[in-house]
Amino acid sequence: STVQNFIERSVEPSEYEDLPTESHKVHIAAGCCAGIAEHCLMYPVDLVKTRIMAVAGPGSNQSLGILQSMRNVVQGEGFRALFRGIPVVFTMAGPAHGAYFASYELAKQRTGRSFGKDNPVGHMISGAVASLVHDAVMTPVDAVKQRMQKFQSSYKSSSQCSMSMLKNEGIRSFYRSYTSQILMNIPQQCIHFMSYEYIKLTLNPEDTYRPGIHMLSGGIAGGIAALSTTPMDVCKTLLNTQPTIPGQSNTAITGLRNSIATIYRVAGLRGFWKGSTARVMTIAPSTAICWLVYESFKIRNILKYLVVFLGVVNIAFCCIIILVVTSLICLIFKLLEKCSFAKKK
């Protein structure tokens, strides 16, 4: 396109390659922007994917296409329903992806010394390390987000959902799907990073700044990785959403083994691939956007905005920590008041 050609002509190769891209601050800032852009732009499709992957319950739109499902959500619940749960994702996607890309780049530097530069094994190991760091932050976020995304969710806000989970189910409810998340994301990110680096270097051997190639490589790599790990995403969605299972009064499903058994009992083998199209349609564009934004931060002209952005991110992150700590203290006081009131009775 005209815009792409203009960008490619205006950016000299040296401006892209000679930057201090080993700086963790650059990686964190670039990752923050990439994560926020990726999650927020594709959030409505992610909501549809969550409902399609739900094992049971109304409103899952399992037999409809993505666009028709989105249209039904807007008609039945309003336009705002497409973005239910987005505040918690917007808040935490930045720090999670900042740590994600920073850990990937650091691991890639270390593995490059052992396996050689641009070695697929090094990329796979680096992707696994990045996944472990990312999931430690995003697993609780996904638990809250997917409960908010459920059809006719009883929660009015992400904060109410978080407090309710903490009060009624304990801290473990936020990490109920952590095992399936790890088993899904480690192979997914290994495939993702290895495919991205391979496709990028195949299409762009000079490794210069080429926005179109970064987007194409990211989209293809993300799509391949997403399709291959769909079954584990179905298990993760079940553990996070806890839908009503016909014939069961207690719906607390815990553990990967129980989730696999439940999916097989309710939907058979096909149940593990429900939502695969929606998953690919969510992740492929997301990774394309993510890599485009991330690689763009290697342009010298953009670096001058990093200091301001890092300051905003640091302030926002500190505010989040203060709010979380304050909320926990208030919750503890409320529980203590209830206990003392009960003893008086």
Side-chain angles (χ1 to χ4, degrees):
S1 65
T2 306
V3 176
Q4 177 180 328
N5 291 335
F6 172 77
I7 294 174
E8 292 177 354
R9 287 198 305 270
S10 61
V11 177
E12 295 296 330
S14 59
E15 289 185 322
Y16 176 70
E17 296 174 344
D18 296 341
L19 292 175
T21 51
E22 293 186 2
S23 169
H24 299 315
K25 290 183 179 181
V26 173
H27 297 152
I28 290 171
C32 285
C33 284
I36 292 170
E38 169 192 346
H39 282 282
C40 293
L41 290 176
M42 297 304 299
Y43 194 84
V45 184
D46 184 67
L47 178 137
V48 170
K49 182 209 72 167
T50 297
R51 294 192 178 189
I52 290 175
M53 284 185 172
V55 171
S60 58
N61 296 326
Q62 293 174 6
S63 61
L64 301 178
I66 295 174
L67 292 178
Q68 183 60 47
S69 298
M70 292 175 66
R71 190 177 298 115
N72 288 354
V73 172
V74 173
Q75 291 176 352
E77 305 170 55
F79 181 76
R80 292 180 61 186
L82 290 173
F83 297 92
R84 283 180 56 84
I86 198 172
V88 67
V89 174
F90 178 82
T91 302
M92 297 306 297
H97 276 70
Y100 170 72
F101 277 107
S103 58
Y104 171 71
E105 295 287 357
L106 179 61
K108 190 168 75 168
Q109 293 169 18
R110 299 290 175 85
T111 56
R113 298 168 190 166
S114 302
F115 299 99
K117 185 180 180 183
D118 297 325
N119 188 289
V121 176
H123 296 153
M124 289 180 67
I125 295 173
S126 303
V129 172
S131 181
L132 288 170
V133 174
H134 174 269
D135 290 347
V137 179
M138 286 303 289
T139 297
V141 176
D142 279 341
V144 175
K145 177 197 74 175
Q146 291 192 314
R147 292 200 183 195
M148 292 292 296
Q149 289 177 333
K150 284 177 61 178
F151 178 70
Q152 293 182 342
S153 174
S154 60
Y155 302 110
K156 303 299 182 184
S157 66
S158 301
S159 58
Q160 182 205 359
C161 179
S162 303
M163 297 302 291
S164 175
M165 290 173 65
L166 182 63
K167 180 180 178 181
N168 299 324
E169 303 172 57
I171 192 71
R172 293 183 63 183
S173 63
F174 292 98
Y175 285 92
R176 185 178 288 148
S177 66
Y178 188 63
T179 302
S180 60
Q181 186 102 339
I182 288 294
L183 292 177
M184 173 186 72
N185 277 349
I186 287 182
Q188 178 179 327
Q189 297 309 326
C190 288
I191 296 169
H192 171 209
F193 281 108
M194 182 180 66
S195 301
Y196 173 77
E197 297 285 357
Y198 176 79
I199 296 169
K200 182 185 71 171
L201 291 175
T202 300
L203 298 177
N204 183 22
E206 299 83 11
D207 198 20
T208 55
Y209 180 69
R210 302 289 297 278
I213 289 177
H214 293 317
M215 287 191 70
L216 180 63
S217 303
I220 295 174
I224 294 171
L227 183 62
S228 60
T229 54
T230 296
M232 295 308 300
D233 196 21
V234 176
C235 294
K236 183 204 77 172
T237 301
L238 170 62
L239 291 170
N240 279 340
T241 57
Q242 298 291 289
T244 302
I245 306 300
Q248 293 186 12
S249 56
N250 183 8
T251 62
I253 302 167
T254 58
L256 180 60
R257 183 181 299 178
N258 289 335
S259 67
I260 292 173
T262 301
I263 293 166
Y264 183 75
R265 182 173 65 253
V266 174
L269 289 175
R270 293 181 62 184
F272 292 98
W273 297 97
K274 285 191 307 180
S276 57
T277 302
R279 177 168 163 77
V280 172
M281 292 297 292
T282 302
I283 294 179
S286 295
T287 51
I289 295 167
C290 188
W291 278 111
L292 174 65
V293 175
Y294 181 73
E295 296 285 3
S296 295
F297 270 81
K298 293 181 180 179
I299 303 175
R300 189 183 303 277
N301 292 335
I302 296 179
L303 286 178
K304 61 185 179 181
Y305 299 107
L306 288 181
V307 175
V308 176
F309 181 78
L310 280 171
V312 173
V313 169
N314 288 333
I315 293 171
F317 195 64
C318 290
C319 290
I320 293 165
I321 293 174
I322 293 170
L323 287 172
V324 170
V325 172
T326 304
S327 300
L328 287 174
I329 293 172
C330 291
L331 178 62
I332 292 170
F333 275 114
K334 287 182 180 179
L335 292 174
L336 290 174
E337 287 177 2
K338 286 186 178 180
C339 291
S340 60
F341 183 72
K343 287 181 180 178
K344 287 180 181 179
K345 281 190 173 182

